[in-house]
């Protein structure tokens, strides 16, 4: 049974904070990305191709914190992270700190397929993308006013933030921060996009892409490009996480689900629930994940107010949701 799930970030997504018009925009963007990947699976594409295509669709949409629309670093740049993994052969590729490749997920795939490495970072990762002639963009391409405004707020607060979504109407001049703390504020919203798929051969793949956290500095790297933390696929499950990356790294969240399935014989749903509710939530790890197993079962657990998410299994209807139902 082929199946696809996608996410566009988890966090404090209150119904009141999204206007009906904005909600429609998010739902439409999720539906487009979902059908992009689902139609490919239906036509016989590999899971890896489907998750890459779904993530590219979300990266190109400025609503999400990945590719165009990525959040700003402390210095006012973009440093984007992405990873993907193919489950049946355990191949993986990831990039961190890319600044000009239009689709970081494509650069991650290049790392997997064209190099002997798994994770490349900063100018080297952009250089690889350039050498293989991926579409590159001037840094202005990644600018969005609402992300810029979020950086101004974070600078005023002197903290790193997890941000996603809502266009904010105000603009403010760039200010120097008075202080910086890396303590994440759980009340701030999160971003990131991801996709997991099971194809017609029962092969699994996962892909995740993010701008990381607003006001991040010192070349901070989150969970997204770290195989096993924010992204994982093997022959049992494919996982893409979103949330406060530091917690997902310390929990080795995505791989822990695979381990619970392999060593304890748990179902995908039970393993994912344990990681999100019993392991991450009690220590403040707010967020969620999307997961699929080799039978096409999907689970989309999160411990935050909401998670932009969508899924569809073979022959079923498309499901698009934002809030806790
Ligand atoms: N996990 C991402 C990071 O920490 C952020 C997110 O999912 O919103 O970089």
């Amino acid at each position: 049974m082929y199946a696809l799930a996608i996410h566009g970030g988890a966090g404090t997504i209150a119904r009141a904070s999204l206007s009906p018009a904005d909600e429609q925009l998010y739902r439409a963007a999720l539906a487009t990305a979902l059908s992009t990947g689902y139609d490919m699976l239906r036509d016989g594409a590999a899971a890896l191709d489907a998750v890459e295509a779904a993530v590219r669709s979300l990266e190109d949409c400025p609503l999400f914190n990945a590719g165009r629309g990525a959040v700003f670093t402390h210095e006012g740049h973009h440093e984007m992270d992405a990873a993907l993994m193919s489950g049946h052969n355990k191949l993986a590729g990831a990039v961190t700190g890319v600044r000009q490749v239009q689709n970081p997920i494509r650069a991650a795939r290049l790392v997997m397929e064209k190099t002997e490495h798994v994770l490349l970072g900063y100018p080297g990762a952009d250089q690889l993308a350039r050498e293989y002639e991926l579409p590159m963009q001037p840094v202005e391409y990644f600018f969005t006013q609402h992300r810029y405004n979020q950086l101004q707020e974070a600078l005023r607060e002197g903290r790193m933030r997890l941000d996603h979504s809502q266009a904010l109407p105000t603009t403010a001049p760039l200010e120097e921060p008075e202080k910086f703390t890396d303590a994440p504020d759980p009340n701030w919203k999160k971003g990131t996009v991801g996709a997991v798929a099971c194809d017609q051969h029962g092969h699994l793949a996962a892909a995740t892409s993010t701008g990381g956290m607003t006001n991040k500095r010192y070349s901070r790297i989150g969970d997204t490009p770290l195989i096993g933390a924010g992204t994982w696929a093997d022959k049992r499950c494919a996982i893409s996480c979103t949330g406060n990356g530091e917690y997902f790294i310390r929990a080795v969240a995505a791989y822990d689900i695979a381990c619970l399935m392999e060593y304890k014989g748990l179902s995908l749903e039970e393993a994912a629930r344990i990681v999100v509710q019993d392991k991450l939530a009690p220590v403040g790890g707010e967020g969620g994940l999307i997961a699929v197993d080799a039978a096409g079962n999907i689970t989309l657990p999160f411990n935050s107010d909401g998670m932009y998410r969508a899924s569809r299994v073979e022959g079923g209807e498309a499901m698009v949701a934002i809030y806790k139902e």
Side-chain angles (χ1 to χ4, degrees), residues 7 9-10 65 81 162-164 189-193 208 210-213 216 220-225 230 241-246 248-249:
H7 71 76
N65 172 20
D81 303 335
L162 292 151
D163 275 318
H164 75 107
K189 303 167 184 76
K190 303 170 177 69
T192 293
V193 306
T208 317
T210 188
M213 291 172 69
K216 66 182 181 180
R220 178 262 187 190
I221 300 168
D223 60 316
T224 297
C241 300
T242 176
N244 188 326
E246 277 66 12
F248 284 72
I249 292 171

Side-chain angles (χ1 to χ4, degrees), residues 69-103:
V71 299
F72 284 88
T73 66
H74 178 78
E75 293 80 15
H77 304 145
H78 297 95
E79 292 178 353
M80 297 169 284
D81 303 335
L84 86 187
M85 187 161 186
S86 167
H88 69 286
N89 51 12
K90 291 269 198 76
L91 293 176
V95 292
T96 184
V98 292
R99 294 187 55 188
Q100 289 200 262
V101 60
Q102 178 175 325
N103 293 108

Side-chain angles (χ1 to χ4, degrees), residues 23-291:
E23 186 178 326
Q24 266 322 104
L25 289 176
Y26 282 98
R27 285 182 178 277
L30 289 167
T32 299
L34 184 73
S35 67
T36 299
Y38 181 86
D39 291 352
M40 290 173 67
L41 291 173
R42 186 199 55 211
D43 295 344
L48 190 67
D49 293 327
V51 294
E52 184 199 323
V55 165
R56 277 169 66 176
S57 166
L58 294 166
E59 285 179 337
D60 288 340
C61 174
L63 293 172
F64 300 102
N65 172 20
R68 188 176 210 180
V71 299
F72 284 88
T73 66
H74 178 78
E75 293 80 15
H77 304 145
H78 297 95
E79 292 178 353
M80 297 169 284
D81 303 335
L84 86 187
M85 187 161 186
S86 167
H88 69 286
N89 51 12
K90 291 269 198 76
L91 293 176
V95 292
T96 184
V98 292
R99 294 187 55 188
Q100 289 200 262
V101 60
Q102 178 175 325
N103 293 108
I105 200 67
R106 292 187 71 186
R109 184 152 180 180
L110 276 184
V111 175
M112 181 180 117
E113 292 180 341
K114 303 293 184 192
T115 79
E116 56 189 318
H117 309 301
V118 170
L119 174 59
L120 295 184
Y122 299 91
D126 274 315
Q127 186 188 331
L128 177 78
R130 230 174 248 114
E131 282 177 14
Y132 281 91
E133 297 181 352
L134 289 190
M136 306 300 285
Q137 295 290 348
V139 292
E140 299 76 38
Y141 167 85
F142 299 96
F143 177 94
T144 52
Q145 189 65 49
H146 68 285
R147 296 297 183 203
Y148 186 75
N149 296 344
Q150 287 172 337
L151 174 63
Q152 309 316 307
E153 290 182 18
L155 289 171
R156 278 195 290 272
E157 292 156 5
R159 64 165 63 239
M160 185 167 73
R161 290 180 15 169
L162 292 151
D163 275 318
H164 75 107
S165 77
Q166 289 112 306
L168 303 174
T170 55
T171 58
L174 189 67
E175 293 170 8
E176 276 306 304
E178 285 165 17
K179 62 184 170 56
F180 174 80
T181 164
D182 65 358
D185 178 346
N187 295 318
W188 286 109
K189 303 167 184 76
K190 303 170 177 69
T192 293
V193 306
V196 293
C198 174
D199 65 24
Q200 293 187 20
H201 302 286
H203 291 167
L204 302 170
T208 317
S209 181
T210 188
M213 291 172 69
T214 299
N215 200 23
K216 66 182 181 180
R217 67 193 306 196
Y218 307 121
S219 304
R220 178 262 187 190
I221 300 168
D223 60 316
T224 297
L226 302 183
I227 298 302
T231 307
W232 177 260
D234 59 19
K235 63 180 196 287
R236 285 183 188 79
C237 61
I239 318 287
S240 171
C241 300
T242 176
N244 188 326
E246 277 66 12
Y247 292 87
F248 284 72
I249 292 171
R250 288 188 290 253
V252 201
Y255 184 59
D256 199 19
I257 294 169
C259 290
L260 287 166
M261 292 177 74
E262 182 174 356
Y263 304 142
K264 281 194 115 183
L266 299 186
S267 69
L268 178 79
E269 189 177 356
E270 181 62 1
R273 190 199 62 74
I274 286 173
V275 169
V276 171
Q277 298 301 347
D278 300 350
K279 297 198 172 187
L280 288 165
V283 294
E286 189 188 7
L289 55 89
I290 56 173

